[in-house]
Amino acid sequence: MAIKITILVGTMTGTAQLCAQEMELALDDGETEVETLLMDKADAGVFERDGVFLVCTSTYGQGDVPDNARALYEELKTKRPSLARVRYGVFGLGDRTYAETFNFGGKKFDDILTELGAERIGDRHTHDASSGILPEETALEWCQEWLAKVRERLGQPA
Ligand SMILES: Cc1cc2nc3c(=O)[nH]c(=O)nc-3n(C[C@H](O)[C@H](O)[C@H](O)COP(=O)(O)O)c2cc1C
């Protein structure tokens, strides 16, 4: 059975969206069905969908989630739905120049999803813009490794 993946994108200037587009292209192969949603087009009910979730978000302000992710993040914090059925991964974008708040956007989603009972599959990725490595290139490799872990967790052969 095809694995359904919903990629939720938090972005200010489009880098996370570009990464999500690359990951959708790489992962959506018939065996895996991928839909990418900007977070401002989703509310907490999105987590009632079947399949697994990939949170792909940058960090802004002083370790804040991007503006387009704020409403979803706040809704999770205030309504606190049970997400016990949810499995997810996190591809975070940030910049180590912001040493105190490096990649806090992804971390904030990771923390609240775990608090609400969801299970993370794989490690949270923390891209560093100051490294000079293009996040959309890292994303391709990372998402294949993540999918392998998802398949393993769901008991599906590679
Ligand atoms: C005004 C501003 C504030 C930022 N604050 C942080 C921060 O607190 N922590 C961090 O890790 N990165 C921070 N960043 C870096 C961005 O998260 C990083 O450049 C990311 O790749 C941008 O992705 P986006 O285009 O999808 O929004 C900041 C960038 C800007 C321009």
Side-chain angles (χ1 to χ4, degrees), residues 76-118:
L76 291 171
K77 293 277 279 185
T78 51
K79 285 198 184 156
R80 305 189 68 76
S82 168
L83 300 183
R85 288 177 55 253
V86 170
R87 290 176 180 143
Y88 70 97
V90 180
F91 187 89
L93 294 95
D95 187 325
R96 265 197 207 281
T97 315
Y98 301 87
E100 304 288 312
T101 55
F102 177 57
N103 248 284
F104 269 28
K107 182 179 185 315
K108 282 185 165 166
F109 272 101
D110 191 16
D111 288 349
I112 188 66
L113 292 176
T114 300
E115 249 177 74
L116 297 175

Side-chain angles (χ1 to χ4, degrees), residues 10-17 58-64 93-95 98 101-104 129:
T11 185
M12 209 77 142
T13 55
T15 319
Q17 192 174 7
S58 63
T59 306
Y60 269 81
Q62 295 177 324
D64 301 322
L93 294 95
D95 187 325
Y98 301 87
T101 55
F102 177 57
N103 248 284
F104 269 28

Side-chain angles (χ1 to χ4, degrees), residues 47-152:
F47 289 104
E48 287 162 21
R49 288 174 167 220
D50 286 338
V52 294
F53 297 84
L54 179 49
V55 173
C56 178
T57 185
S58 63
T59 306
Y60 269 81
Q62 295 177 324
D64 301 322
V65 301
D67 287 353
N68 87 310
R70 195 167 295 166
L72 177 61
Y73 180 67
E74 291 302 330
E75 192 187 353
L76 291 171
K77 293 277 279 185
T78 51
K79 285 198 184 156
R80 305 189 68 76
S82 168
L83 300 183
R85 288 177 55 253
V86 170
R87 290 176 180 143
Y88 70 97
V90 180
F91 187 89
L93 294 95
D95 187 325
R96 265 197 207 281
T97 315
Y98 301 87
E100 304 288 312
T101 55
F102 177 57
N103 248 284
F104 269 28
K107 182 179 185 315
K108 282 185 165 166
F109 272 101
D110 191 16
D111 288 349
I112 188 66
L113 292 176
T114 300
E115 249 177 74
L116 297 175
E119 176 194 350
R120 194 184 68 234
I121 298 178
D123 292 333
R124 174 166 61 90
H125 183 75
T126 55
H127 181 263
D128 173 15
S130 73
S131 68
I133 299 167
L134 291 175
E136 59 272 29
E137 285 175 11
T138 318
L140 281 182
E141 194 179 329
W142 182 87
C143 75
Q144 299 289 2
E145 287 168 13
W146 180 70
L147 180 62
K149 287 174 190 153
V150 168
R151 287 190 186 287
E152 202 177 307

Side-chain angles (χ1 to χ4, degrees), residues 28-47:
D28 199 334
D29 62 357
E31 304 257 316
T32 311
E33 289 169 16
V34 184
E35 188 179 353
T36 301
L37 282 179
L38 285 168
M39 287 199 195
D40 48 303
K41 303 282 183 263
D43 59 25
V46 75
F47 289 104

Side-chain angles (χ1 to χ4, degrees), residues 1-5 7 21-35 143-144 147-148 151 156-158:
M1 207 173 63
I3 295 176
K4 290 196 170 78
I5 299 176
I7 307 181
Q21 281 163 354
E22 293 290 333
M23 292 195 279
E24 177 172 338
L25 279 174
L27 295 176
D28 199 334
D29 62 357
E31 304 257 316
T32 311
E33 289 169 16
V34 184
E35 188 179 353
C143 75
Q144 299 289 2
L147 180 62
R151 287 190 186 287
Q156 292 202 5

